[in-house]
Amino acid sequence: MLKIRNSSLSDFLRCRKKYILGLEWETIEEEKSPALIIGTAYHKCMEKWDLFPNKDIAIAEGLMTVPEDVETREEILETSYACMELGIQYNIDNPQETASTETEFEAPLIPGVVVAGRIDALIENEGKFWIKERKTSGTTEEKFFKPYLMDKQSFVYIFGGEQVFGHEIMGVCVEVVFKPTSKKKGEVQRQYFSEEYSKEKRKKWLDEVMEMAMDMVKAHEEDNMYRSFICEGKYGYCGFWDYCTSGENINVFESTHVRKERKAGIFNKKKGGDKNGRRKNT
């Protein structure tokens, strides 16, 4: 049985080699950004809050997820704490009925394939059910919500949620903590998106995800897991980079777009690169 998640769908589209290595190795040590660490801490805090609404316990649970050896740990702890306080207070002032929190699901997609994931929360609002997505963001409200349209991640959550919970799901409720900075106070915004999840659009996304799943099955059958150079530039450093560029593997593709290489200044104009360190096509 092939189990696909949003991350595996994305990896397969970006770089099949990264996708298959991720399945085979399962765990890989990758540097976590401060934003990811803060987001993880916030999710853990709000999960605890949903189950046991005690502010001190929930915040302590969240802060425990921050690694001891991470750089700028004090700053990360401070920002995480501020986000948690904002999120908890907002949910006290604007309560929702939570039907389920941090729920794992597996839902059949096509023969031999299930989609899997973890839903932040299922909430009920005026007798209707919604998938709730919790986010932390350093951008502005306008920039965050404007492009928020249905994507494969939201579709997979709705598709899986309806099968697991047995309820029709109207759409997605997005609750965002906009992080406080030295120049502005943090705040929380909550918006509901339903028109973006019409039956017609869901059908379109179902067809596309099923097509991707069939491509993945075929690639497994034919052992057609080639490496792409695209993911390393557009999507940041890959944890499998050392493996993919060691020994004979380096001959598969020469990457010129790895974040660590750009930071180190390996590529420059004299070596045929542009001002950002990317090698020009010749």
Side-chain angles (χ1 to χ4, degrees), residues 6-280:
N6 288 308
S7 58
S8 58
L9 284 171
S10 298
D11 285 346
F12 182 79
L13 291 173
R14 295 170 183 173
C15 177
R16 295 188 181 189
K17 191 66 176 179
K18 180 178 181 180
Y19 159 75
I20 195 64
L21 289 175
L23 292 183
E24 293 174 350
W25 292 5
E26 291 189 354
T27 58
I28 182 71
E29 289 295 327
E30 292 193 59
E31 180 183 350
K32 292 183 178 180
S33 68
L36 179 59
I37 295 172
I38 292 169
T40 299
Y42 180 74
H43 271 79
K44 190 64 177 178
C45 168
M46 298 310 296
E47 175 188 0
K48 190 66 176 180
W49 174 262
D50 284 342
L51 297 172
F52 186 73
N54 180 290
K55 179 179 177 180
D56 293 337
I57 293 177
I59 289 179
E61 192 94 358
L63 294 178
M64 286 176 63
T65 66
V66 179
E68 293 284 345
D69 58 349
V70 67
E71 292 184 15
T72 66
R73 187 171 190 268
E74 292 302 317
E75 183 179 340
I76 290 173
L77 287 170
E78 182 180 347
T79 304
S80 298
Y81 186 91
C83 289
M84 294 174 198
E85 278 200 315
L86 286 167
I88 289 174
Q89 189 59 52
Y90 184 85
N91 278 269
I92 291 173
D93 297 337
N94 305 273
Q96 289 177 316
E97 185 174 344
T98 303
S100 178
T101 185
E102 295 295 338
T103 303
E104 296 276 357
F105 69 85
E106 291 185 12
L109 180 65
I110 60 175
V113 179
V114 297
V115 290
R118 186 179 180 92
I119 295 171
D120 290 350
L122 179 73
I123 56 114
E124 187 175 357
N125 182 49
E126 298 180 353
K128 297 178 180 179
F129 290 92
W130 302 74
I131 296 293
K132 183 174 183 177
E133 288 193 23
R134 292 189 171 107
K135 305 288 185 181
T136 56
S137 176
T139 187
T140 63
E141 175 188 350
E142 181 181 356
K143 288 182 179 180
F144 182 89
F145 284 116
K146 186 176 181 179
Y148 202 93
L149 301 174
M150 185 174 185
D151 58 15
K152 63 178 177 296
Q153 174 174 317
S154 299
F155 166 77
V156 167
Y157 288 165
I158 290 177
F159 177 80
E162 288 187 333
Q163 295 193 48
V164 171
F165 298 121
H167 299 296
E168 179 184 1
I169 295 175
M170 299 303 297
V172 176
C173 169
V174 184
E175 186 176 287
V176 190
V177 175
F178 294 100
K179 302 172 190 175
T181 67
S182 58
K183 295 183 179 180
K184 64 182 180 68
K185 293 181 178 179
E187 63 173 334
V188 183
Q189 294 287 334
R190 181 187 289 163
Q191 290 192 26
Y192 291 84
F193 295 85
S194 60
E195 292 182 3
E196 292 80 5
Y197 301 88
S198 65
K199 290 183 178 180
E200 292 77 13
K201 291 182 180 179
R202 293 190 197 192
K203 176 64 167 59
K204 174 180 177 293
W205 274 103
L206 177 60
D207 291 342
E208 292 191 14
V209 172
M210 289 175 66
E211 185 175 348
M212 283 188 279
M214 287 186 285
D215 287 342
M216 294 169 79
V217 171
K218 185 177 180 181
H220 275 278
E221 292 174 346
E222 299 177 354
D223 193 23
N224 188 17
M225 298 295 178
Y226 51 81
R227 178 181 160 209
S228 169
F229 65 87
I230 298 174
C231 65
E232 291 133 12
K234 187 175 181 181
Y235 302 105
Y237 175 72
C238 173
F240 299 110
W241 172 248
D242 290 338
Y243 171 81
C244 280
T245 56
S246 64
E248 296 180 355
N249 296 322
I250 197 169
N251 296 322
V252 180
F253 277 103
E254 178 192 10
S255 170
T256 61
H257 297 283
V258 179
R259 184 173 63 192
K260 286 189 174 180
E261 290 179 345
R262 291 206 303 271
K263 286 185 176 180
I266 292 175
F267 297 108
N268 53 44
K269 290 185 178 181
K270 290 183 180 180
K271 294 183 180 180
D274 62 17
K275 64 180 180 180
N276 295 316
R278 301 184 181 93
R279 190 184 298 273
K280 295 178 181 178

